[in-house]
Amino acid sequence: MSLDPAAALRYHGRAMRILSGIQPSGRLHLGNYFGAIRQYLALQEQGNQCFYFIANYHALTGISDRAAMEEITLHVAAGYLAMGIDPDRSVFFLQSDVPQVTELCWILNCYCPVSLMEKATSYKDKIARGLPANMGLFDYPVLQAADIVIYDADLVPVGRDQKQHVEMARDLVGKFNRAVGKDVLVLPEAHIVPEVAVVPGLDGQKMSKSYDNTIEIFATSKQTKKRCAAIVTDSTALEEPKDPDKCNVMSLLKLLASPEEADEIASKYRAGEYGYGHAKARLAELTNEKFAAARDRYAELIKRGDTVRDMLATGGRKAREVAEATMRRVREACGIMTSR
Ligand code: ADP
Ligand code: TRP
């Protein structure tokens, strides 16, 4: 689907509505930035109506410690704000500030065949990794569908791993609308963040908190240097020529350096007398430069936790208004009476 701003603004005769959820389950890293955050910021800059929220109910399927939950929620909220999510332009909020979403989740559950959920690969993967098979984990895609449709979202920017969840949301929209006999819910579409953005971690696997191979965005310069120094490379000696296309350091450098500098470093690899240590030091420098301003803003926001809470509260109010309007349509369509 085109993301041309002019087209976006004409979409469905109103501004295209973008929505994505961020599960607060680990400290933000370069994979999150290049695979998700960068896209969220670009969509905001294009003038779309963006709804971005912290999916803390989803995180509850895996985190049971109260302090850890609060800490990681605040980290992710402050991190996104520090990197440029602008609460004046985007609706930025906590999933738990919109109780209507769990109400919609229940209603959608009643229209969702168990067999549809049994197809979810992320559920099977999580069970295989040893997560407890609780009902929350099984119902995860229905809550995600509720998240999407409650804000009439048109486009859902997500990583490839989330494609199936958006397809399930589309399935559920079809089932619900057919069952009630009218188009109450808007059919969303996934916007898959391009494959190029699969960021390798220190060991060359996909950078992920689950593999403990990340370079964190909000670490100190010193910690960043240490992490970059730990990137796995082969044992080619400093004076020997090296293959830039087979090196984790180079893959990360390509994301952070200008194209000219990346070409220059690739030539140095091929020429020899340029060690992996040089490349790692430059990578740390570029990472520290890229996130210096965001790190300062992050430190300020964490110090004044109330500011973050106030911003989330404002976003929550706006989100609740939209969610309640959808719920009125939904309740009415399925004959659920309330005395509110
Ligand atoms: P993790 O793999 O650390 O658990 P998450 O699954 O919480 O990360 O990531 C949230 C989003 O960040 C994903 O949907 C994906 O778009 C993006 N992302 C995470 N890691 C990477 C990576 N290594 N490369 C590209 N995108 C990533
Ligand atoms: N499941 C998503 C992830 O792990 C997070 C999420 C929750 C989400 N609700 C959403 C993403 C709604 C997009 C839309 O990354």
Side-chain angles (χ1 to χ4, degrees):
M1 176 177 294
S2 162
L3 291 180
D4 166 61
L9 293 170
R10 286 195 305 272
Y11 190 77
H12 282 186
R14 56 170 167 79
M16 167 141 59
R17 187 161 291 165
I18 310 282
L19 170 130
S20 201
I22 305 138
Q23 184 170 312
S25 49
R27 303 189 75 76
L28 297 169
H29 54 72
L30 294 185
N32 297 138
Y33 178 78
F34 290 105
I37 304 168
R38 194 170 55 160
Q39 278 62 237
Y40 297 168
L41 295 173
L43 289 163
Q44 171 183 274
E45 296 317 308
Q46 285 178 355
N48 298 296
Q49 277 186 22
C50 298
F51 281 59
Y52 296 131
F53 68 94
I54 314 242
N56 51 353
Y57 282 141
H58 278 109
L60 200 58
T61 58
I63 302 178
S64 49
D65 181 79
R66 170 185 182 279
M69 178 69 94
E70 285 193 5
E71 198 271 333
I72 202 67
T73 302
L74 200 60
H75 165 76
V76 171
Y80 268 74
L81 289 166
M83 280 185 283
I85 295 295
D86 176 357
D88 290 331
R89 280 185 291 164
S90 295
V91 183
F92 185 59
F93 61 102
L94 290 173
Q95 187 180 33
S96 53
D97 266 337
V98 187
Q100 287 88 343
V101 83
T102 54
E103 181 188 354
L104 181 56
C105 177
W106 178 258
I107 294 177
L108 292 178
N109 272 334
C110 299
Y111 292 79
C112 179
V114 170
S115 57
L116 180 62
M117 288 304 105
E118 281 170 343
K119 291 189 192 123
T121 52
S122 74
Y123 176 73
K124 292 180 206 156
D125 289 351
K126 286 171 183 167
I127 300 302
R129 278 197 278 124
L131 264 80
N134 61 45
M135 283 304 295
L137 209 55
F138 188 64
D139 206 31
Y140 188 114
V142 181
L143 180 58
Q144 184 158 346
D147 285 330
I148 296 170
V149 301
I150 207 163
Y151 306 108
D152 292 336
D154 303 301
L155 205 62
V156 186
V158 280
R160 193 157 293 275
D161 60 319
Q162 294 297 311
K163 188 167 185 260
Q164 192 190 29
H165 286 162
V166 181
E167 272 159 14
M168 288 173 152
R170 289 170 60 84
D171 263 11
L172 272 171
V173 166
K175 287 189 196 310
F176 183 85
N177 285 349
R178 270 194 304 280
V180 301
K182 55 184 163 186
D183 286 343
V184 175
L185 302 176
V186 173
L187 189 68
E189 196 166 324
H191 171 56
I192 304 295
V193 170
E195 198 67 282
V196 243
V198 171
V199 180
L202 304 191
D203 55 358
Q205 294 188 79
K206 174 188 177 247
M207 186 178 288
S208 169
K209 59 176 176 285
S210 326
Y211 306 138
D212 191 22
N213 65 355
T214 66
I215 297 175
E216 286 183 18
I217 297 172
F218 297 105
T220 63
S221 301
K222 213 170 140 190
Q223 287 163 338
T224 305
K225 236 169 134 174
K226 228 172 131 185
R227 289 301 273 176
C228 291
I231 299 173
V232 176
T233 51
D234 62 31
S235 51
T236 316
L238 183 126
E239 56 283 3
E240 297 288 317
K242 298 170 185 67
D243 185 351
D245 298 324
K246 286 195 185 124
C247 173
N248 299 328
V249 189
M250 194 65 220
S251 310
L252 290 165
L253 272 168
K254 276 190 201 147
L255 293 168
L256 283 144
S258 65
E260 297 75 30
E261 188 182 359
D263 284 349
E264 200 185 309
I265 299 176
S267 309
K268 288 184 182 167
Y269 264 68
R270 291 190 196 96
E273 298 299 336
Y274 183 83
Y276 291 124
H278 296 123
K280 290 175 179 180
R282 183 63 188 139
L283 176 66
E285 229 170 66
L286 286 166
T287 307
N288 288 333
E289 273 165 27
K290 169 128 191 110
F291 297 109
R295 285 174 180 176
D296 290 345
R297 283 194 293 273
Y298 174 81
E300 264 313 291
L301 287 166
I302 288 290
K303 213 162 44 187
R304 297 180 287 117
D306 284 354
T307 312
V308 177
R309 284 176 221 273
D310 287 349
M311 286 174 177
L312 289 169
T314 306
R317 273 192 293 279
K318 291 183 201 160
R320 272 197 304 279
E321 243 173 69
V322 179
E324 183 52 28
T326 307
M327 286 314 294
R328 281 187 212 285
R329 294 193 324 252
V330 169
R331 291 184 204 110
E332 201 271 329
C334 46
I336 291 292
M337 295 160 59
T338 57
S339 11
R340 275 173 268 162

